[in-house]
Amino acid sequence: RADSVTWDAHKWLSVPYAAGMFFSRHRAALLAAFDIASGYMPEPREGSDDFYRVSLQWTRRTLGLKVFAALAACGVTGYETMIDHQTAMGRSLREKLVSAGWTLVNETPLPVVCFAHREIAAGRVTAKKVAQHVVHGGRAWISPVKLANRPPCLRACITSWKTTPEDLDILVAALGDALGVR
């Protein structure tokens, strides 16, 4: 449904960094931005996309190999199962946070959960201090984030297919402990 989408394959496809993707409905815009004519490159073929003409990667590095290998290993069904699990964990985390007195800041079906607490809003502790306390505890990783036109909050992004409801309980407990950090 989107006009354009950027997607980091290192998150949901669990591949190493440098496998970002950009999808757009507007081929003409991509051609206007990236197309270049060269005497040693083949002439454009009518009705086909020559990716050297519509992307930044003119020399076709093998960045896509890691994405291909991951898709070959997991398959579409494997990724469907993994993404369904991660989005379910995102929904569960939202529920657990609200039950523990946290306020959700973003609304998305993705397992990217941004949230705040009245203790942070009151200035009794900062989002940065809460995140540092959780991360230094070694059981979970979150980060502070500043969203447009919003006060600082926290961000949890579930990207592991191994995340369990118990992991979410550990995170919520660590967040509660961190509220006492001054």
Side-chain angles (χ1 to χ4, degrees):
R1 294 182 295 172
D3 191 57
S4 64
V5 174
T6 58
W7 188 26
D8 289 329
H10 73 269
K11 290 194 169 98
W12 264 3
L13 296 184
S14 299
V15 299
Y17 282 120
M21 298 175 208
F22 174 74
F23 302 96
S24 174
R25 294 180 186 265
H26 306 287
R27 183 177 188 276
L30 295 173
L31 284 170
F34 302 118
D35 196 18
I36 188 167
S38 175
Y40 59 88
M41 295 303 291
E43 289 293 317
R45 294 177 304 215
E46 191 63 37
S48 72
D49 281 321
D50 293 318
F51 293 111
Y52 75 89
R53 295 183 63 221
V54 293
S55 74
L56 289 170
Q57 294 297 325
W58 213 61
T59 58
R60 298 191 179 135
R61 295 168 50 203
T62 59
L63 296 176
L65 181 60
K66 56 189 139 199
V67 175
F68 172 80
L71 284 169
C74 295
V76 172
T77 303
Y79 274 117
E80 181 181 3
T81 300
M82 184 170 57
I83 289 170
D84 285 347
H85 172 74
Q86 290 166 335
T87 55
M89 291 295 96
R91 284 190 303 275
S92 181
L93 178 58
R94 285 180 185 85
E95 293 167 5
K96 291 173 184 287
L97 288 167
V98 168
S99 292
W102 294 84
T103 303
L104 300 178
V105 176
N106 69 332
E107 187 176 326
T108 177
L110 300 174
V112 178
V113 183
C114 297
F115 53 98
H117 196 277
R118 63 184 170 276
E119 293 293 309
I120 296 170
R124 290 188 276 276
V125 66
T126 65
K128 182 178 179 180
K129 287 276 188 194
V130 170
Q132 286 173 339
H133 184 79
V134 170
V135 171
H136 286 118
R139 303 286 313 269
W141 190 91
I142 60 167
S143 62
V145 65
K146 176 73 172 92
L147 302 175
N149 303 316
R150 306 265 180 139
C153 60
L154 296 158
R155 175 184 178 269
C157 183
I158 300 169
T159 58
S160 174
W161 64 90
K162 294 180 178 182
T163 301
T164 66
E166 293 77 22
D167 294 325
L168 303 178
D169 292 337
I170 289 168
L171 172 58
V172 172
L175 287 164
D177 292 344
L179 288 175
V181 175
R182 303 284 182 243

